Structures are given as structure tokens and as C-alpha cells.
Amino acid sequence: YDASENSSLVFAALFTLMLPATASYAIVVTGVVVAVLVGKHAFGGAGSYPFHPAALGYAVVTVSWPDQIFRYPTPFTHVGLWDTSTATLEDASSHILRTGGVPNIPSLDLTLGNYAGPMGATFVLVILAVALYLLLRRRISLELPLAFLATSALISVLFPRVATAGTFELMKYELLSGALLYAAVFMLCEPTTAPKNRLARVAYGVLAGFLTMMFRYYGAYELGVCFALLLANAFSGYLDRVCSKAAFQRRSKSL
């Protein structure tokens, strides 16, 4: 145990903020235990885990409690600290897209997070502000989230889930629902699970974006980005080796 290494707190927060505010404490505890003890420490601790711990914790509670995970309190409704049974719940915009409909959320509310969704994944302005801070501090790289979001946007345009919706409107809801932007900033760029080579990072972002949209289109759960991220993690090392080898061969030929 290293008291100066606090990534477990980060993973616990990342996991918890993807839950609805009405999630039971049993879900929170189970997910954090899986993320920290199984996802991180079982593989050797900091810097050794092959899969994102927070994504693993979320995948486990999603399979275990799907009825609670995808129902969110209506904005500005009262949620009790211990008893949440009186809270008014509704489906998220990702569920509406999944069932063939188009959400009707004003752009301002969509930006400010005034709609039903995960606790920390709806306030776009805060997520973008933190992303800018992390970029300036060089804690994340720009190519990863850009490749991820561009791939997701391209698939939503070329293969729309709702053919009657406008292209821009549908792409807006696809990118700002289902914790897509949240995962692009806070989970995709995890240095331990992401490739180190720049070209590999781009390929990794494209792969993660493609898998995310496939899980959205054909998966059993609305928020498929965590499952897509876990699958993309398995290819991270391979992409690093392939792209590093290709770069080395190009340099050798130029010499």
C-alpha cells in the first residue's frame, strides 16, 4: 500500500459519477470494490491493470442491477439521502434514441445538463472546462478524444438510428448522451490502458468510437461505452507494437 498513490479515489469518483443519483448504496459499494480491488489491485496496482477499473466496475453493476442503473431522477426533483422511493424517475435521452425516438431537449438545457442522466456526465460545460485544464497540464492527449468523438459522429451521420431526424440534431444527441463525452475526457485517456504511440492513440480512439456505436446500436444496454472501452483495452498493447514497428521501419528506410 502506497499512501501517496491516490488513483483509487479517482476511479471511485469516475465510477460513481456515471450512476443515477437514486442508485442504492449497495450499487456504489459493489462497483467501487470491483473497480479498486479487482480492476486495479488484483492486477498489481497502479500502472499494471490492463482494463480501466472504473469501466469494469460499471460493467459489473450494469449486469447486476440494470433496472436501477438506467432510470434517472427528473431534474430539480427531490432525492432523499436515504430513501429515494419518492423521486420522480424517467428514461435518459440514450434510451429514447435506442427505442427509435428523438429526444426533445433544448440546446441550452443539453449544454447545462438540465436533463435526466448520470450524475456527472450531463454538464457539458464543466466537462469541456476540465478537458481544457487537463490538456493544458498535459495530462491527456488531444488525438485520443478527437479520434473517438469523430468516429462516433461519423457513424451517427452515415448510419443514423432515426432516419427521420435531422443529421446535426441526431449527431448532437448521440455525442451528448450515454456518457460519451464524459468517457472521452476522463476514461479513454487513462495513461495505463491507452497506447503510448501517437498513431496508435489515433487508431485506439477510432476503434473505441466504433465499438461504442456498435454497442449502442446492437448491445443490450444503453450506456455501452464502458463495455466498448473494456474491449478496446484488450487491443491497446497490440496497436502500440504495430504502430511502433511501422514507425521504426519508416525511419530505417529514410536512413
Side-chain angles (χ1 to χ4, degrees), residues 125-137 140 145 181 185-186:
L125 291 182
V126 171
I127 295 175
L128 292 178
V130 176
L132 179 60
Y133 172 79
L134 294 175
L135 283 170
L136 293 176
R137 293 294 302 271
I140 64 175
L181 186 62
V185 174
F186 299 117

PDB file of all heavy atoms in Angstrom, residues 125-137 140 145 181 185-186:
ATOM      1  N   LEU A 125     -20.545  21.898 -20.200  1.00  0.00           N
ATOM      2  CA  LEU A 125     -19.608  22.997 -19.990  1.00  0.00           C
ATOM      3  C   LEU A 125     -18.543  22.640 -18.961  1.00  0.00           C
ATOM      4  O   LEU A 125     -17.366  22.979 -19.129  1.00  0.00           O
ATOM      5  CB  LEU A 125     -20.362  24.261 -19.557  1.00  0.00           C
ATOM      6  CG  LEU A 125     -21.244  24.928 -20.619  1.00  0.00           C
ATOM      7  CD1 LEU A 125     -21.894  26.180 -20.061  1.00  0.00           C
ATOM      8  CD2 LEU A 125     -20.424  25.266 -21.852  1.00  0.00           C
ATOM      9  N   VAL A 126     -18.922  21.949 -17.904  1.00  0.00           N
ATOM     10  CA  VAL A 126     -17.955  21.550 -16.881  1.00  0.00           C
ATOM     11  C   VAL A 126     -16.976  20.527 -17.449  1.00  0.00           C
ATOM     12  O   VAL A 126     -15.761  20.609 -17.228  1.00  0.00           O
ATOM     13  CB  VAL A 126     -18.685  20.984 -15.643  1.00  0.00           C
ATOM     14  CG1 VAL A 126     -17.688  20.361 -14.676  1.00  0.00           C
ATOM     15  CG2 VAL A 126     -19.467  22.078 -14.953  1.00  0.00           C
ATOM     16  N   ILE A 127     -17.500  19.560 -18.199  1.00  0.00           N
ATOM     17  CA  ILE A 127     -16.637  18.533 -18.787  1.00  0.00           C
ATOM     18  C   ILE A 127     -15.628  19.159 -19.749  1.00  0.00           C
ATOM     19  O   ILE A 127     -14.431  18.827 -19.729  1.00  0.00           O
ATOM     20  CB  ILE A 127     -17.479  17.466 -19.509  1.00  0.00           C
ATOM     21  CG1 ILE A 127     -18.353  16.719 -18.491  1.00  0.00           C
ATOM     22  CG2 ILE A 127     -16.587  16.477 -20.252  1.00  0.00           C
ATOM     23  CD1 ILE A 127     -19.302  15.725 -19.125  1.00  0.00           C
ATOM     24  N   LEU A 128     -16.078  20.096 -20.581  1.00  0.00           N
ATOM     25  CA  LEU A 128     -15.177  20.753 -21.522  1.00  0.00           C
ATOM     26  C   LEU A 128     -14.147  21.622 -20.799  1.00  0.00           C
ATOM     27  O   LEU A 128     -12.984  21.699 -21.217  1.00  0.00           O
ATOM     28  CB  LEU A 128     -15.977  21.595 -22.508  1.00  0.00           C
ATOM     29  CG  LEU A 128     -16.862  20.826 -23.495  1.00  0.00           C
ATOM     30  CD1 LEU A 128     -17.632  21.793 -24.384  1.00  0.00           C
ATOM     31  CD2 LEU A 128     -16.024  19.876 -24.341  1.00  0.00           C
ATOM     32  N   ALA A 129     -14.560  22.286 -19.729  1.00  0.00           N
ATOM     33  CA  ALA A 129     -13.621  23.108 -18.960  1.00  0.00           C
ATOM     34  C   ALA A 129     -12.531  22.252 -18.325  1.00  0.00           C
ATOM     35  O   ALA A 129     -11.345  22.599 -18.354  1.00  0.00           O
ATOM     36  CB  ALA A 129     -14.377  23.898 -17.887  1.00  0.00           C
ATOM     37  N   VAL A 130     -12.929  21.111 -17.761  1.00  0.00           N
ATOM     38  CA  VAL A 130     -11.939  20.207 -17.166  1.00  0.00           C
ATOM     39  C   VAL A 130     -11.034  19.614 -18.246  1.00  0.00           C
ATOM     40  O   VAL A 130      -9.830  19.443 -18.037  1.00  0.00           O
ATOM     41  CB  VAL A 130     -12.648  19.091 -16.371  1.00  0.00           C
ATOM     42  CG1 VAL A 130     -11.623  18.099 -15.830  1.00  0.00           C
ATOM     43  CG2 VAL A 130     -13.457  19.676 -15.230  1.00  0.00           C
ATOM     44  N   ALA A 131     -11.621  19.312 -19.425  1.00  0.00           N
ATOM     45  CA  ALA A 131     -10.819  18.794 -20.526  1.00  0.00           C
ATOM     46  C   ALA A 131      -9.741  19.792 -20.947  1.00  0.00           C
ATOM     47  O   ALA A 131      -8.586  19.421 -21.195  1.00  0.00           O
ATOM     48  CB  ALA A 131     -11.711  18.440 -21.710  1.00  0.00           C
ATOM     49  N   LEU A 132     -10.118  21.069 -21.019  1.00  0.00           N
ATOM     50  CA  LEU A 132      -9.151  22.112 -21.363  1.00  0.00           C
ATOM     51  C   LEU A 132      -8.049  22.199 -20.313  1.00  0.00           C
ATOM     52  O   LEU A 132      -6.856  22.331 -20.652  1.00  0.00           O
ATOM     53  CB  LEU A 132      -9.869  23.456 -21.495  1.00  0.00           C
ATOM     54  CG  LEU A 132      -8.993  24.662 -21.839  1.00  0.00           C
ATOM     55  CD1 LEU A 132      -8.295  24.453 -23.175  1.00  0.00           C
ATOM     56  CD2 LEU A 132      -9.825  25.945 -21.856  1.00  0.00           C
ATOM     57  N   TYR A 133      -8.414  22.114 -19.058  1.00  0.00           N
ATOM     58  CA  TYR A 133      -7.418  22.140 -17.973  1.00  0.00           C
ATOM     59  C   TYR A 133      -6.457  20.961 -18.085  1.00  0.00           C
ATOM     60  O   TYR A 133      -5.231  21.123 -17.953  1.00  0.00           O
ATOM     61  CB  TYR A 133      -8.133  22.127 -16.627  1.00  0.00           C
ATOM     62  CG  TYR A 133      -7.208  21.957 -15.447  1.00  0.00           C
ATOM     63  CD1 TYR A 133      -6.469  23.026 -14.942  1.00  0.00           C
ATOM     64  CD2 TYR A 133      -7.068  20.713 -14.827  1.00  0.00           C
ATOM     65  CE1 TYR A 133      -5.614  22.866 -13.868  1.00  0.00           C
ATOM     66  CE2 TYR A 133      -6.223  20.548 -13.750  1.00  0.00           C
ATOM     67  CZ  TYR A 133      -5.500  21.619 -13.273  1.00  0.00           C
ATOM     68  OH  TYR A 133      -4.647  21.461 -12.209  1.00  0.00           O
ATOM     69  N   LEU A 134      -6.995  19.761 -18.328  1.00  0.00           N
ATOM     70  CA  LEU A 134      -6.149  18.574 -18.435  1.00  0.00           C
ATOM     71  C   LEU A 134      -5.232  18.651 -19.657  1.00  0.00           C
ATOM     72  O   LEU A 134      -4.087  18.178 -19.616  1.00  0.00           O
ATOM     73  CB  LEU A 134      -7.021  17.321 -18.507  1.00  0.00           C
ATOM     74  CG  LEU A 134      -7.831  16.989 -17.255  1.00  0.00           C
ATOM     75  CD1 LEU A 134      -8.748  15.800 -17.509  1.00  0.00           C
ATOM     76  CD2 LEU A 134      -6.905  16.695 -16.086  1.00  0.00           C
ATOM     77  N   LEU A 135      -5.722  19.236 -20.747  1.00  0.00           N
ATOM     78  CA  LEU A 135      -4.882  19.412 -21.937  1.00  0.00           C
ATOM     79  C   LEU A 135      -3.738  20.384 -21.655  1.00  0.00           C
ATOM     80  O   LEU A 135      -2.592  20.131 -22.052  1.00  0.00           O
ATOM     81  CB  LEU A 135      -5.730  19.918 -23.103  1.00  0.00           C
ATOM     82  CG  LEU A 135      -6.610  18.888 -23.809  1.00  0.00           C
ATOM     83  CD1 LEU A 135      -7.561  19.580 -24.772  1.00  0.00           C
ATOM     84  CD2 LEU A 135      -5.744  17.869 -24.567  1.00  0.00           C
ATOM     85  N   LEU A 136      -4.050  21.486 -20.987  1.00  0.00           N
ATOM     86  CA  LEU A 136      -3.010  22.470 -20.674  1.00  0.00           C
ATOM     87  C   LEU A 136      -1.980  21.899 -19.713  1.00  0.00           C
ATOM     88  O   LEU A 136      -0.788  22.249 -19.793  1.00  0.00           O
ATOM     89  CB  LEU A 136      -3.647  23.735 -20.085  1.00  0.00           C
ATOM     90  CG  LEU A 136      -4.533  24.541 -21.045  1.00  0.00           C
ATOM     91  CD1 LEU A 136      -5.184  25.707 -20.312  1.00  0.00           C
ATOM     92  CD2 LEU A 136      -3.716  25.042 -22.231  1.00  0.00           C
ATOM     93  N   ARG A 137      -2.408  21.030 -18.826  1.00  0.00           N
ATOM     94  CA  ARG A 137      -1.476  20.381 -17.887  1.00  0.00           C
ATOM     95  C   ARG A 137      -0.800  19.154 -18.495  1.00  0.00           C
ATOM     96  O   ARG A 137      -0.024  18.489 -17.827  1.00  0.00           O
ATOM     97  CB  ARG A 137      -2.226  19.969 -16.619  1.00  0.00           C
ATOM     98  CG  ARG A 137      -2.737  21.128 -15.773  1.00  0.00           C
ATOM     99  CD  ARG A 137      -1.585  21.943 -15.187  1.00  0.00           C
ATOM    100  NE  ARG A 137      -0.720  21.122 -14.376  1.00  0.00           N
ATOM    101  CZ  ARG A 137      -0.891  20.916 -13.068  1.00  0.00           C
ATOM    102  NH1 ARG A 137      -1.922  21.471 -12.449  1.00  0.00           N
ATOM    103  NH2 ARG A 137      -0.053  20.162 -12.395  1.00  0.00           N
ATOM    104  N   ILE A 140      -3.786  14.722 -20.548  1.00  0.00           N
ATOM    105  CA  ILE A 140      -4.441  13.944 -21.594  1.00  0.00           C
ATOM    106  C   ILE A 140      -3.933  14.435 -22.942  1.00  0.00           C
ATOM    107  O   ILE A 140      -3.413  15.549 -23.051  1.00  0.00           O
ATOM    108  CB  ILE A 140      -5.989  14.043 -21.542  1.00  0.00           C
ATOM    109  CG1 ILE A 140      -6.449  15.474 -21.806  1.00  0.00           C
ATOM    110  CG2 ILE A 140      -6.520  13.547 -20.206  1.00  0.00           C
ATOM    111  CD1 ILE A 140      -7.954  15.621 -21.902  1.00  0.00           C
ATOM    112  N   PRO A 145      -9.326  11.695 -27.669  1.00  0.00           N
ATOM    113  CA  PRO A 145     -10.758  12.040 -27.655  1.00  0.00           C
ATOM    114  C   PRO A 145     -11.258  12.542 -29.004  1.00  0.00           C
ATOM    115  O   PRO A 145     -12.415  12.296 -29.356  1.00  0.00           O
ATOM    116  CB  PRO A 145     -10.848  13.128 -26.578  1.00  0.00           C
ATOM    117  CG  PRO A 145      -9.466  13.643 -26.407  1.00  0.00           C
ATOM    118  CD  PRO A 145      -8.560  12.507 -26.702  1.00  0.00           C
ATOM    119  N   LEU A 181     -19.211  11.893 -24.023  1.00  0.00           N
ATOM    120  CA  LEU A 181     -18.219  12.945 -23.820  1.00  0.00           C
ATOM    121  C   LEU A 181     -17.468  12.747 -22.511  1.00  0.00           C
ATOM    122  O   LEU A 181     -16.248  12.968 -22.434  1.00  0.00           O
ATOM    123  CB  LEU A 181     -18.918  14.313 -23.837  1.00  0.00           C
ATOM    124  CG  LEU A 181     -18.021  15.537 -23.775  1.00  0.00           C
ATOM    125  CD1 LEU A 181     -17.105  15.595 -24.991  1.00  0.00           C
ATOM    126  CD2 LEU A 181     -18.853  16.814 -23.673  1.00  0.00           C
ATOM    127  N   VAL A 185     -13.204  12.146 -22.217  1.00  0.00           N
ATOM    128  CA  VAL A 185     -12.285  13.009 -21.484  1.00  0.00           C
ATOM    129  C   VAL A 185     -11.635  12.288 -20.310  1.00  0.00           C
ATOM    130  O   VAL A 185     -10.417  12.347 -20.113  1.00  0.00           O
ATOM    131  CB  VAL A 185     -13.020  14.278 -20.990  1.00  0.00           C
ATOM    132  CG1 VAL A 185     -12.104  15.120 -20.104  1.00  0.00           C
ATOM    133  CG2 VAL A 185     -13.515  15.098 -22.173  1.00  0.00           C
ATOM    134  N   PHE A 186     -12.435  11.569 -19.521  1.00  0.00           N
ATOM    135  CA  PHE A 186     -11.947  11.077 -18.240  1.00  0.00           C
ATOM    136  C   PHE A 186     -11.521   9.607 -18.235  1.00  0.00           C
ATOM    137  O   PHE A 186     -10.799   9.188 -17.327  1.00  0.00           O
ATOM    138  CB  PHE A 186     -13.027  11.261 -17.167  1.00  0.00           C
ATOM    139  CG  PHE A 186     -13.411  12.694 -16.951  1.00  0.00           C
ATOM    140  CD1 PHE A 186     -14.700  13.122 -17.210  1.00  0.00           C
ATOM    141  CD2 PHE A 186     -12.486  13.623 -16.519  1.00  0.00           C
ATOM    142  CE1 PHE A 186     -15.065  14.446 -17.020  1.00  0.00           C
ATOM    143  CE2 PHE A 186     -12.833  14.945 -16.326  1.00  0.00           C
ATOM    144  CZ  PHE A 186     -14.127  15.358 -16.583  1.00  0.00           C
TER     145      PHE A 186
END
